Amino acid sequence: MRRIMLIAAMGLLALQAAAREPWQNGFSVGVEGNFALFDEKETVFNDFKGTTVSGSYTAFLTKGLFVRPMLMFYYEDHDYYPLDNSVPPGYPQPARGKSDKDDHLTEVGFGVACLGGYRFPVGKEFSVDLQTGPYYAIAIDQHQTIFGHHRFDLYNKSSLRWRFGLGLNVWRLTVDASFDLGLLKVRPEREHSDCESNVVSIGIGYNF
């Protein structure tokens, strides 16, 4: 009986030690809110707020150093101009802005990222991640509705950013913040098109 209790106690201690192991490979899921750092001189499409759901796998190459591939699904609500041809010729254009509750410009799509980083243990239950890497997204639906008029795919459906991130791991939870540097043009066919906005994201995740 004592031997069984001793084996059980040793197993429990091993599990606890593994739970505190900061270099453990594993899957994670998370959700984040994001918003664009918008300049008034830029195309209004650059101004948006959104939500992203993600899944990732963290693989440690050595103690501290890791790579983290990620797969994401996102929704973005963008600002917009009224359509140039939404009003018959000779009539004044409607004022810019969301003057009708059904007017919107939204984008839905998938993104992938491959981040590299380093984890710094802070005590037994805490650690800090610093990470950076490319993020690429492609829209599967980009839909603008203004005064009952619909248009699709007016802007670049591809997005390429470079991400810089900071994460705080507490037990199995992660609270993270990131900054994405926009790299692609909003309207690729236009010579002087703005680059996409830089983006700030704040999220929470669970590590399995």
Side-chain angles (χ1 to χ4, degrees):
M1 184 66 179
R2 290 182 179 178
R3 181 177 297 178
I4 295 176
M5 293 179 63
L6 180 60
I7 293 174
M10 291 177 63
L12 181 60
L13 289 174
L15 288 175
Q16 290 177 340
R20 291 194 296 264
E21 172 59 59
W23 325 119
Q24 188 171 355
N25 298 341
F27 290 95
S28 303
V29 294
V31 61
E32 64 184 29
N34 40 62
F35 62 91
L37 299 178
F38 177 66
D39 186 331
E40 290 294 338
K41 297 180 181 180
E42 296 177 344
T43 305
V44 292
F45 179 78
N46 271 333
D47 190 12
F48 70 86
K49 297 179 178 64
T51 303
T52 301
V53 179
S54 65
S56 64
Y57 183 79
T58 302
F60 284 91
L61 306 178
T62 62
K63 286 188 175 181
L65 187 65
F66 64 83
V67 292
R68 177 174 292 154
M70 303 180 69
L71 177 64
M72 291 164 264
F73 176 79
Y74 69 88
Y75 170 87
E76 295 173 352
D77 183 14
H78 291 253
D79 198 1
Y80 51 83
Y81 285 120
L83 296 177
D84 295 336
N85 63 353
S86 61
V87 177
Y91 288 81
Q93 291 285 332
R96 172 190 163 188
K98 299 184 178 181
S99 55
D100 187 280
K101 65 180 181 180
D102 295 324
D103 292 352
H104 66 273
L105 172 51
T106 58
E107 182 174 293
V108 177
F110 290 96
V112 292
C114 186
L115 307 180
Y118 196 89
R119 176 167 294 177
F120 299 89
V122 183
K124 295 181 178 180
E125 299 291 345
F126 300 88
S127 61
V128 175
D129 291 348
L130 295 179
Q131 57 189 9
T132 186
Y135 166 83
Y136 177 78
I138 184 72
I140 57 176
D141 180 65
Q142 190 186 93
H143 182 194
Q144 176 172 285
T145 300
I146 308 292
F147 296 102
H149 296 262
H150 303 275
R151 276 189 174 182
F152 300 88
D153 306 335
L154 291 175
Y155 302 95
N156 192 358
K157 296 177 66 176
S158 296
S159 176
L160 178 63
R161 308 174 192 158
W162 194 272
R163 172 164 292 194
F164 302 89
L166 171 68
L168 174 63
N169 305 301
V170 183
W171 187 62
R172 291 186 177 273
L173 298 179
T174 297
V175 178
D176 60 76
S178 62
F179 171 81
D180 291 356
L181 182 65
L183 300 176
L184 294 184
K185 290 185 176 181
V186 175
R187 302 290 289 268
E189 73 281 4
R190 296 187 178 180
E191 181 179 355
H192 302 294
S193 179
D194 300 321
C195 281
E196 58 185 327
S197 290
N198 302 326
V199 179
V200 172
S201 303
I202 300 174
I204 187 169
Y206 183 84
N207 306 306
F208 293 96

